[in-house]
Amino acid sequence: MIKLGINVDHVATIRNARGEDHPDPFRAAKLATKYGADSITIHLREDRRHIKDIDVKKICKDKKLIVNLEIAANFKMLKIALKNKPNYICLVPERRKEITTEGGLNVKKNKFKLKKIINVLNKAKIRTSLFIDPTLNNIKLAKKLNSNCIELHTGKLSRLIKQKKSFVTELNKVKKSSKYAKKIGLEVHAGHGMDYKTAQILSSVKEIKEFNIGHFIVGETFFYGINEVIKKFKKILK
Ligand code: PXP
């Protein structure tokens, strides 16, 4: 069964809209885990627009949670990450003006820095993933840099599916990349912009072991509650 990682960043977005303490992403993380999330993803952005340092501290401290911390690939963020000891780290690109993480890492351009960071994380025994666009070159480089996993950016595919446009070419890129990555020993994850329909379509790619889904789940929870939403995803991922 594909694992379901739930990203609670946007619980923090709603909280921050009022500048107070409610709703608490830590409480959301505990509840999502109780109802079957396999891991909790949080992205500590450099501009702290949703998850704050105190959230990372609280969420990582609770050892009943399996935490996947997303950070920009730099040494300042790495230091914060190491202090909090999450189970997993996913390195992502960051641009201040973007609405969300709009594409994968430029692995080629950043290979020396990435190699150093991955080296530190491997020594700390933290599972490391690189958030990349689905290309064979990115995957080859991820392996060369000793990453344990890759997370394929599914934003473009998700958008095409939602807009009812042809998505076969993009889906084939994900399929081909997943197959190749698994073959060379990388664990394959997927995420960004996913909902029930994209989860259904991508669950046919048997090499993918984990989905990381945030925005849709937080929105859908308003209508049906987290328990029901997780149940529905689990049914799709079986
Ligand atoms: N995976 C990664 C690496 C991400 O950066 C994000 C967005 O923060 C997600 C998954 C989740 O994307 P969405 O909120 O669109 O489901």
Side-chain angles (χ1 to χ4, degrees):
M1 185 159 164
I2 300 170
K3 291 199 164 156
L4 178 64
I6 296 189
N7 179 318
V8 297
D9 289 351
H10 295 303
V11 176
T13 303
I14 298 169
R15 174 196 60 191
N16 298 351
R18 285 293 167 93
E20 292 178 9
D21 299 328
H22 186 271
D24 182 0
F26 177 43
R27 189 172 161 205
K30 286 192 285 188
L31 213 55
T33 300
K34 177 178 166 190
Y35 289 121
D38 295 293
S39 56
I40 298 299
T41 293
I42 44 176
H43 182 178
L44 184 69
R45 292 187 79 101
E46 292 182 288
D47 62 11
R48 307 298 196 267
R49 67 173 73 158
H50 36 57
I51 293 293
K52 312 272 184 204
D53 296 67
I54 184 68
D55 300 319
V56 177
K57 197 172 164 191
K58 281 200 298 190
I59 291 172
C60 289
K61 211 170 157 195
D62 186 337
K63 293 302 164 199
K64 286 196 209 95
L65 304 176
I66 295 180
V67 184
N68 175 37
L69 177 64
E70 294 178 3
I71 52 165
N74 64 56
F75 295 98
K76 193 170 163 201
M77 295 311 296
L78 176 67
K79 200 171 157 197
I80 298 173
L82 288 172
K83 213 165 73 188
N84 286 286
K85 299 191 180 73
N87 305 81
Y88 313 144
I89 285 184
C90 182
L91 299 171
V92 301
E94 253 185 53
R95 279 184 286 128
R96 292 290 158 96
K97 290 209 176 101
E98 65 187 358
I99 296 173
T100 176
T101 316
E102 283 158 8
L105 286 161
N106 187 334
V107 188
K108 193 172 170 201
K109 190 172 156 207
N110 296 295
K111 65 181 177 206
F112 295 112
K113 189 171 61 177
L114 286 169
K115 194 174 170 71
K116 279 190 195 156
I117 294 174
I118 293 169
N119 207 3
V120 173
L121 292 173
N122 283 343
K123 276 192 187 139
K125 296 195 169 22
I126 296 175
R127 186 191 83 170
T128 306
S129 186
L130 298 185
F131 194 37
I132 56 172
D133 292 324
T135 73
L136 298 189
N137 275 341
N138 280 335
I139 292 162
K140 273 180 210 160
L141 277 170
K143 181 69 188 168
K144 228 173 156 177
L145 299 178
N146 284 326
S147 184
N148 309 120
C149 315
I150 49 155
E151 178 165 333
L152 298 174
H153 195 302
T154 54
K156 188 171 173 194
L157 175 68
S158 300
R159 203 163 42 249
L160 291 170
I161 295 170
K162 281 178 210 160
Q163 292 170 348
K164 297 190 169 40
K165 291 187 179 158
S166 170
F167 59 85
V168 184
T169 312
E170 195 58 30
L171 180 62
N172 281 339
K173 278 192 210 165
V174 173
K175 283 185 178 167
K176 208 170 149 190
S177 300
S178 303
K179 216 178 181 143
Y180 180 63
K182 179 157 186 222
K183 196 174 131 203
I184 62 169
L186 289 161
E187 187 173 305
V188 185
H189 309 153
H192 211 279
M194 289 180 63
D195 59 11
Y196 296 131
K197 191 156 181 208
T198 41
Q200 180 83 60
I201 291 166
L202 281 165
S203 61
S204 70
V205 185
K206 63 179 189 310
E207 290 83 9
I208 300 178
K209 280 196 72 178
E210 182 179 306
F211 288 153
N212 285 307
I213 309 175
H215 187 269
F216 179 79
I217 290 184
V218 174
E220 196 69 357
T221 290
F222 178 81
F223 300 113
Y224 298 103
I226 190 67
N227 190 9
E228 285 308 309
V229 175
I230 292 176
K231 256 194 219 159
K232 207 162 162 184
F233 268 109
K234 289 269 169 174
K235 220 168 150 183
I236 294 169
L237 306 190
K238 249 188 210 159

